[in-house]
Amino acid sequence: LAINRKANILFKKFNLSVSSETTDVFIAFKHSPLEEIAELAQNALKSSTAIVLEKELLDTGSKKHWIEFHLMPIVHSDGEVFGVHIQMKDISQQKKTEELIRLQQERLRRSESQLRAVFDSSSDINIFVGPDYRIISFNKQAVDTVLQQLQKRLLPGLDIRTIVLEERQQIFEQNFQTALNGQPVALEGTCTRRCERQRVGASAAE
């Protein structure tokens, strides 16, 4: 029925010549890389159902293209389907971007797994806390030590002050605010509840 310039340009990439004068577009499609599209277009015509798909195709120069196809029945005012609107869009760049993002996310997941392995294997007690005193993350050594010495379980979202000795609450909060302001704080002392002498480092996550 009709074809625009962009469609013609796209067809030429696949050595396909289609115009409003073409007798049978479906037959033309069947002798090209778009053979599957011809079958789907006929299905859309018969079933009066729109079809959307993405397909990777090789052009005449063996270059890969990702094409997004929308096949929509054209319906007359009386409800009769008399044609199919085939809308095509080259989404190759979009696919490349999506693949790049996927690879970056995969590398990030691997890096996080490696960091977590090192983090958990450390003999130091590490607890990351948000500005609201809520625990964000911690390592295995922190879990084991708090459970053994305070008989409490570390959980994400727990207020860190619930595992600080009562007599140290005030100095802890003062040092916490100092850390939030970007100043490192290092304390050394002894615990009164079944703990050994230990060095405590404070840092705050923003």
Side-chain angles (χ1 to χ4, degrees):
L1 298 176
I3 182 171
N4 67 1
R5 185 177 62 85
K6 287 187 176 181
N8 257 324
I9 293 173
L10 186 61
F11 285 148
K12 286 179 181 178
K13 290 181 180 180
F14 303 102
N15 198 27
L16 181 63
S17 179
V18 176
S19 70
S20 57
E21 306 300 323
T22 303
T23 306
D24 193 324
V25 175
F26 294 155
I27 292 178
F29 274 21
K30 286 181 179 179
H31 293 89
S32 76
L34 302 180
E35 181 176 1
E36 181 184 350
I37 306 305
E39 296 175 3
L40 292 174
Q42 288 178 316
N43 290 338
L45 186 61
K46 293 175 182 177
S47 64
S48 301
T49 303
I51 299 173
V52 180
L53 81 154
E54 296 174 357
K55 188 172 179 61
E56 187 179 39
L57 301 171
L58 289 176
D59 65 17
T60 53
S62 298
K63 182 180 178 181
K64 292 181 180 180
H65 294 266
W66 272 100
I67 310 296
E68 181 180 77
F69 293 91
H70 290 253
L71 300 97
M72 298 162 283
I74 303 173
V75 183
H76 197 271
S77 58
D78 61 5
E80 179 186 359
V81 177
F82 66 95
V84 178
H85 176 201
I86 303 175
Q87 187 179 60
M88 299 166 290
K89 181 181 180 181
D90 192 326
I91 57 171
S92 303
Q93 188 56 49
Q94 175 186 324
K95 284 291 184 180
K96 288 179 182 178
T97 302
E98 290 174 355
E99 178 63 13
L100 179 60
I101 292 173
R102 187 192 69 78
L103 291 174
Q104 290 174 336
Q105 290 175 336
E106 181 61 31
R107 284 195 291 268
L108 180 59
R109 280 194 292 268
R110 287 200 298 268
S111 297
E112 287 176 343
S113 297
Q114 292 168 353
L115 181 60
R116 170 55 67 176
V118 173
F119 187 56
D120 279 337
S121 65
S122 172
S123 60
D124 294 331
I125 299 171
N126 288 287
I127 303 175
F128 294 98
V129 184
D132 59 354
Y133 293 97
R134 299 291 175 180
I135 294 174
I136 297 172
S137 184
F138 42 80
N139 66 347
K140 186 177 184 301
Q141 184 63 41
V143 173
D144 294 343
T145 302
V146 172
L147 184 61
Q148 178 185 11
Q149 297 181 357
L150 300 176
Q151 293 77 53
K152 294 185 178 181
R153 294 184 62 86
L154 283 182
L155 295 169
L158 180 71
D159 191 317
I160 186 69
R161 290 170 293 188
T162 62
I163 63 171
V164 176
L165 300 181
E166 185 177 347
E167 60 269 24
R168 295 186 177 179
Q169 286 283 343
Q170 185 175 355
I171 188 64
F172 172 82
E173 292 186 17
Q174 290 174 354
N175 289 328
F176 188 87
Q177 292 304 318
T178 299
L180 276 182
N181 291 328
Q183 298 296 319
V185 180
L187 304 173
E188 188 172 297
T190 55
C191 298
T192 57
R193 297 186 186 177
R194 299 174 57 198
C195 18
E196 300 174 354
R197 185 176 176 83
Q198 59 184 306
R199 183 175 176 81
V200 180
S203 61
E206 295 184 357

